[in-house]
């Protein structure tokens, strides 16, 4: 079916009518929620508990080729660490594994290892979902703090359809793309920004649904799980070790739901909450970003950074100035994206990185945009593409109405002074896309699962873990949670303690004590 503008408006009206009563934050997730974990709790096991099958070394490999330098250069990651090898490859997957939609799609994968990494160890498969490119996530980890994991086994990242190095989706005109990816032209004019972004969403949705038809529904996390299953088949192995970070945890849980017999190990890092509507998920992200900014500001002040004695207040002032046009075409939305992108970058956290970013923000405050520009370009280019829009909106459950978003512009703008207003307006980006159905429940999965999370996560927020462990527990899985007490995303990238938990679990499926805390 080819979507027309009239059909889209009818679909959108239907969505608004059916979801208007449930468009507020989800106070009660529709999945089981596990009670909060107690740090240091003793993990109990039954004597008869079976150890799940170990993941296997691929029998048939992809056609890997070295891409270390080009990848790091493209992502502005600098000189590779000694011995690091990045290899790129592609493989073909069915557009729809059920056969309902014909055709194939070209998926991209990247493998990271060291020249000393054993070759007879099963790889860990990583998916970061639609939050950001899996390729870029792995490259950042490899160029930064994940050396202990890579020294023990290779990690293979699979990009979602249309994101990163996978076959691109180019469905928008440059004008539509500019409107959907930056609120700059809406926040200082006479048009209400919520209405303006909602209109841009309709234009983008019409363009992309027309371009993708009849495959417009094949970009969700369930089809992303099918793409990982195709990789398993190419490798000719029976069991995979799978790591899902951020919204990639939804892909990993979908894989467990559809292909649970082929899961050897399952790690979920900073998972997105299950059972929440668009507003609930957005507020968790905003809360996590505000918490991460507070932690950054405390570190910055402790280092005597150039933002002064109260870095958080200085940043709030910069965002307000950007919102009123004080920095030309650098909008509050672009600045907020830059801030959350830096806070969620797997490589950030070192003292010199904190002071460098603080210096760039201080220069902006003086009217010099030069130092902040590379940060802006790096973070906005990472998420502002057609594939990210399509994947994100295809997974969007219970979108917000314009009226509710307008209320939240005021409420969140006061509650969350840096990210609140932008986050409320951003709710409209997917408002015109046909709402997806919630992910089916995981019915049976009786294997141990390691769940990681941070105390201040700017990508997914820190409240998603109980709903995820509750759903896993209801399916029969035994879970253990490791909580990193710092800021950033994903948790294991910043914590040697968390990495050790992952390494131990990958070896023999042994879970750490539930509620283990890793100090910042």
């Amino acid at each position: 079916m080819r979507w027309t503008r009239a059909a889209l408006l009818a679909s959108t009206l239907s969505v608004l009518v059916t979801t208007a009563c449930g468009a507020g934050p989800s106070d009660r997730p529709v999945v089981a929620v596990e009670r909060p974990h107690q740090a240091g709790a003793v993990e109990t096991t039954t004597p008869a508990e079976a150890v799940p099958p170990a993941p296997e070394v691929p029998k048939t490999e992809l056609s890997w080729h070295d891409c270390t330098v080009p990848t790091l250069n493209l992502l502005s990651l600098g000189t590779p660490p000694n011995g690091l090898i990045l290899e790129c490859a592609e493989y073909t997957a069915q557009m729809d594994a059920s056969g309902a939609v014909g055709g194939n799609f070209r998926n991209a994968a990247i493998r990271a290892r060291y020249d000393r990494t054993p070759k007879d160890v099963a790889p860990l498969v990583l998916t970061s979902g639609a939050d950001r490119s899996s390729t870029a996530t792995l490259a950042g980890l490899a160029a930064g703090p994940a050396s202990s994991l890579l020294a023990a086994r290779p990690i293979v990242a699979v990009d979602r359809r249309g994101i990163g190095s996978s076959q691109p989706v180019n469905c928008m005109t440059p004008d539509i793309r500019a409107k959907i990816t930056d609120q700059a032209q809406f926040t200082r004019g006479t048009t209400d920004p919520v209405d303006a972004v909602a209109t841009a969403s309709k234009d983008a949705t019409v363009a992309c649904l027309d371009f993708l038809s009849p495959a417009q529904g094949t970009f969700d996390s369930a089809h992303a799980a099918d793409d990982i299953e195709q990789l398993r088949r190419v490798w000719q192995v029976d069991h995979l070790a799978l790591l899902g970070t951020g919204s990639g945890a939804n892909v990993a849980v979908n894989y467990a739901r559809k292909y649970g017999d082929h899961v050897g190990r399952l790690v979920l890092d900073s998972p997105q909450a299950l059972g929440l509507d668009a507003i609930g998920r957005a507020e968790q992200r905003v809360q996590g970003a505000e918490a991460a900014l507070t932690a950054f500001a405390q570190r910055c002040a402790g280092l005597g950074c150039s933002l002064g004695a109260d870095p958080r207040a200085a940043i709030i002032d910069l965002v307000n100035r950007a919102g009123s046009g004080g920095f030309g075409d650098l909008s509050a939305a672009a600045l907020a994206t830059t801030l959350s992108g830096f806070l969620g970058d797997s490589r950030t956290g070192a003292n010199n990185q904190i002071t460098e970013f603080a210096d760039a923000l201080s220069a902006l405050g003086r009217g010099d945009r030069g130092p902040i520009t590379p940060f802006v370009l790096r973070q906005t280019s990472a998420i502002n593409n057609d594939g990210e829009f399509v994947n994100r909106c295809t997974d969007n459950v219970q979108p917000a109405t314009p009226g509710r978003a307008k209320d939240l512009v005021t409420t969140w703008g006061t509650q969350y002074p840096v990210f609140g207003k932008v986050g409320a307006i951003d709710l409209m980006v997917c408002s015109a896309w046909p709402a997806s159905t919630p992910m089916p429940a995981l019915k049976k999965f009786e294997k141990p699962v390691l769940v990681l999370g941070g105390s201040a996560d700017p990508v997914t927020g820190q409240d998603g873990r109980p709903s995820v462990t509750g759903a896993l527990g209801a399916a029969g899985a035994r879970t253990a949670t490791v909580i990193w007490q710092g800021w950033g995303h994903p948790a294991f990238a910043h914590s040697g303690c968390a990495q050790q938990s992952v390494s131990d679990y990958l070896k023999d499926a042994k879970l750490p004590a539930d509620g283990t805390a890793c100090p910042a």
Side-chain angles (χ1 to χ4, degrees), residues 284-372:
Q284 285 194 350
R285 286 194 300 271
V286 168
Q287 289 171 338
E290 293 281 348
L293 182 63
T294 296
F296 164 82
Q298 291 170 347
R299 282 276 300 279
C300 195
L303 294 170
C305 72
S306 57
L307 287 170
D310 191 347
R312 181 176 172 83
I315 291 172
I316 292 173
D317 179 64
L318 291 175
V319 172
N320 290 337
R321 289 168 63 184
S324 61
F327 303 125
D329 60 357
L330 178 60
S331 67
L335 184 55
T337 296
T338 302
L339 288 164
S340 61
F342 175 84
L343 295 170
D345 194 312
S346 59
R347 297 165 297 137
T348 54
N351 290 345
N352 64 321
Q353 293 168 321
I354 291 172
T355 55
E356 179 189 10
F357 189 58
D359 289 345
L361 292 171
S362 297
L364 177 64
R366 298 190 300 270
D368 180 5
R369 289 173 49 181
I372 199 66

Side-chain angles (χ1 to χ4, degrees), residues 92-326:
T92 301
Q94 288 180 287
M95 185 66 73
D96 181 55
S98 71
V101 179
N104 298 317
F105 206 91
R106 175 173 51 80
N107 288 91
I110 185 170
R111 180 171 67 184
R113 61 185 177 89
Y114 283 101
D115 52 10
R116 63 185 182 276
T117 302
K119 296 182 179 180
D120 58 349
V121 178
L124 173 64
V125 178
L126 181 150
T127 172
S128 58
D131 299 324
R132 56 196 62 202
S133 160
S134 299
T135 291
T137 297
L138 178 55
L141 295 172
S147 57
S148 63
L149 277 179
L150 288 177
R153 69 181 64 241
I155 302 178
V156 174
V158 178
D159 278 330
R160 279 186 67 160
R161 300 178 180 189
I163 295 180
S165 299
S166 287
Q167 183 177 328
V169 172
N170 295 312
C171 54
M172 303 184 204
T173 65
D175 179 61
I176 293 176
R177 187 177 299 114
K179 289 179 179 178
I180 204 67
T181 57
D182 190 2
Q183 303 167 8
Q185 66 270 48
F186 305 137
T187 53
R188 297 189 292 273
T190 56
T191 304
D192 183 276
V194 169
D195 291 335
V197 175
T199 299
S201 175
K202 293 175 185 177
D203 293 338
T205 299
V206 167
C208 290
L209 291 181
D210 279 348
F211 177 84
L212 295 170
S213 181
Q216 65 269 19
T218 64
F219 288 79
D220 58 2
S221 57
H223 284 82
D226 294 337
D227 292 343
I228 292 176
E229 170 63 6
Q230 177 60 20
L231 176 63
R232 184 195 67 79
R233 294 178 181 180
V234 171
W235 278 346
Q236 297 184 50
V237 298
D238 290 327
H239 304 94
L240 293 176
L242 186 57
L243 165 63
T245 66
S247 67
N250 291 346
V251 178
V253 171
N254 264 298
Y255 188 87
R257 177 178 64 84
K258 301 179 76 173
Y259 309 106
D261 289 344
H262 295 300
V263 175
R265 305 286 186 270
L266 180 60
V267 183
L268 307 177
D269 191 330
S270 310
Q272 191 178 70
L274 299 177
L276 286 185
D277 58 16
I279 292 175
R281 293 194 307 273
E283 185 166 21
Q284 285 194 350
R285 286 194 300 271
V286 168
Q287 289 171 338
E290 293 281 348
L293 182 63
T294 296
F296 164 82
Q298 291 170 347
R299 282 276 300 279
C300 195
L303 294 170
C305 72
S306 57
L307 287 170
D310 191 347
R312 181 176 172 83
I315 291 172
I316 292 173
D317 179 64
L318 291 175
V319 172
N320 290 337
R321 289 168 63 184
S324 61

Side-chain angles (χ1 to χ4, degrees), residues 17-77:
V17 169
T18 57
T19 62
C21 295
S26 299
D27 295 324
R28 295 183 180 178
V30 296
V31 298
V33 178
E34 194 170 63
R35 71 172 185 263
H37 298 293
Q38 299 297 319
V42 176
E43 183 62 43
T44 60
T45 61
T46 58
E49 185 174 13
V51 176
E56 299 100 9
V57 178
K59 297 181 178 69
T60 303
E61 270 296 3
L62 302 178
S63 298
W64 299 106
H65 65 274
D66 186 278
C67 58
T68 309
V69 174
T71 299
L72 296 182
N73 286 344
L74 178 66
L75 299 171
S76 302
L77 294 175

